[in-house]
Amino acid sequence: MITVRVDRNAEGRITGFTINGHAGSGPRGFDLVCAGVSAVSFGALNAVDELTGVPMEVRKSPDGGHLSCWLSGAADDGAASAKAELILEAMLVSLRTIAVTYGKFIRLIDKGGRQPC
């Protein structure tokens, strides 16, 4: 199972996230849930990097079973941080959409945000 944990500050803004595990919904290389989660999460990281310039610390494992990201500039109230926040919230909308259909393969932990339907 894939577990997604979202970290938020006191104001409810995303400061980072961690994704661990493998979905196991199909054979390696043909797992649609893993592919979807990977595409959504890496797409969001690339968008934050290219569109906002907000510094991030990103760690990933070689086997693809771990991805974590912390926004270094998340405490700043500037326009770049607001864009980064929006991109990460959009990422969570996409991950929730995956969880609605494939809930037995993905779990979202976001105490400050919305949970899957």
Side-chain angles (χ1 to χ4, degrees), residues 73-86:
D76 159 332
D77 288 334
S81 290
K83 286 180 186 177
E85 170 77 8
L86 182 60

Side-chain angles (χ1 to χ4, degrees), residues 23-42:
S25 69
R28 186 174 174 91
F30 296 93
D31 189 323
L32 295 178
V33 177
C34 274
V37 170
S38 293
V40 167
S41 57
F42 280 103

Side-chain angles (χ1 to χ4, degrees), residues 54-96:
V54 170
M56 297 180 290
E57 182 180 334
V58 178
R59 293 186 183 160
K60 60 183 181 171
S61 65
D63 74 343
H66 174 83
L67 172 66
S68 58
C69 169
W70 297 273
L71 298 178
S72 302
D76 159 332
D77 288 334
S81 290
K83 286 180 186 177
E85 170 77 8
L86 182 60
I87 291 166
L88 293 179
E89 290 289 358
M91 176 191 77
L92 288 177
V93 169
S94 294
L95 292 174
R96 280 189 209 99

Side-chain angles (χ1 to χ4, degrees), residues 13-56:
R13 296 181 65 180
I14 296 173
T15 57
F17 66 89
T18 302
I19 301 174
N20 282 308
H22 293 282
S25 69
R28 186 174 174 91
F30 296 93
D31 189 323
L32 295 178
V33 177
C34 274
V37 170
S38 293
V40 167
S41 57
F42 280 103
L45 291 180
N46 290 336
V48 169
D49 184 48
E50 288 188 31
L51 301 174
T52 74
V54 170
M56 297 180 290

